[in-house]
Amino acid sequence: MPDFDEQWEKVMEEKYFNKKKGQFDFTQKRVEEFKKLTGVKDNEFVGKVCLDAGCGPGIWTYAMQKLGAKKVDSFDISAEAIKRCRKINPDAYVSDILDLKSNPVYDFVLCLGVLHHNRNTREGFSKIASQVKTGGMLHVMVYDKKHDHEYDGYRGNTCVEKHKEWEKLSFEEKIKMCEKKVETIGGDIHGWFDAFNPEFNWSFSSEEVEQWFEEEGFDKMKLRVKSHFNSIPTSQVNMNGIKS
Ligand SMILES: C[S@@+](CC[C@H](N)C(=O)[O-])C[C@H]1O[C@@H](n2cnc3c(N)ncnc32)[C@H](O)[C@@H]1O
């Protein structure tokens, strides 16, 4: 079962959210967050074809639709995620980034919080880069190395070893562990579950990510979101670039 099925199936009830209640609702707030996150302006997607790779429940698919996209293709390896995304997008399907064949037809490709959950993040980057047409934009988010220390070994180079401990826990024990984190550090149960549950939680520096863009033939890279806002944490490298 893909790592995220459990999260999208069992950890989406109101009681698992605290500060970030409504984080997965399809509302105008998502559109505003998306604009700030990517730098995309109102109407910029009119007539454009977009791809949401690793869409999860589809909050950013929704934002792209609202910003005028002619079509948004959304896919995720988790069938539970796709069940949710289908509520707003008929063009949502179960698929794996690593199975993508080169198909440079998209004006905009989003891959937010996805690639670091794969054994080989760099290979995944190459696959999604191959979907962007010349002049199109790719926006990715991966975890920022600088914040590894906040995740008790579950993020960065030690993640695979640490995940073995998590796997031994029952669902109830996992929730308890997240509750403890909420009590001692803050945030909400969903957020901690999201941090602990995946087997792979690699992290990177913005320099590394910028180099990937260069290697795949992109330029005009921009590092986005340097201060906290709404539901977008800043412990991430958020970067976009234009395919040349
Ligand atoms: C943290 S969630 C982010 C979801 C969404 N992009 C968002 O920002 O709300 C990561 C998602 O990536 C998906 N994912 C991870 N590896 C994938 C792969 N190789 N192919 C497709 N989806 C993948 C997971 O199933 C999960 O739904």
Side-chain angles (χ1 to χ4, degrees), residues 184-219:
T184 52
I185 299 182
D188 55 32
I189 294 172
H190 181 97
W192 285 107
F193 196 94
D194 181 84
F196 293 142
N197 196 49
E199 179 179 10
F200 305 110
N201 280 316
W202 306 122
S203 56
F204 304 91
S205 66
S206 54
E207 289 78 13
E208 278 172 281
V209 180
E210 189 165 3
Q211 196 183 328
W212 301 345
F213 272 99
E214 272 169 23
E215 287 167 359
E216 299 294 338
F218 287 77
D219 59 16

Side-chain angles (χ1 to χ4, degrees), residues 2-5 7-8 23-24 37 52-61 75-82 93-100 110-119 124 141 143 190 194 198 232:
D3 295 352
F4 276 85
D5 273 353
Q7 179 175 330
W8 300 135
Q23 186 189 346
F24 291 101
L37 186 62
D52 191 354
C55 57
I59 52 175
W60 308 125
T61 290
F75 74 89
D76 198 287
I77 202 168
S78 157
E80 288 300 326
I82 292 304
Y93 53 96
V94 176
S95 194
D96 186 338
I97 286 172
L98 296 174
D99 292 336
L100 287 171
L110 181 78
C111 193
L112 206 89
V114 180
L115 296 172
H116 47 228
H117 296 310
N118 288 264
R119 186 177 295 280
M141 180 277 270
Y143 293 144
H190 181 97
D194 181 84
I232 311 296

Side-chain angles (χ1 to χ4, degrees), residues 83-102:
K83 258 190 219 164
R84 288 174 184 271
C85 190
R86 279 245 170 91
K87 289 182 184 154
I88 51 142
N89 190 11
D91 298 314
Y93 53 96
V94 176
S95 194
D96 186 338
I97 286 172
L98 296 174
D99 292 336
L100 287 171
K101 305 272 175 289
S102 175

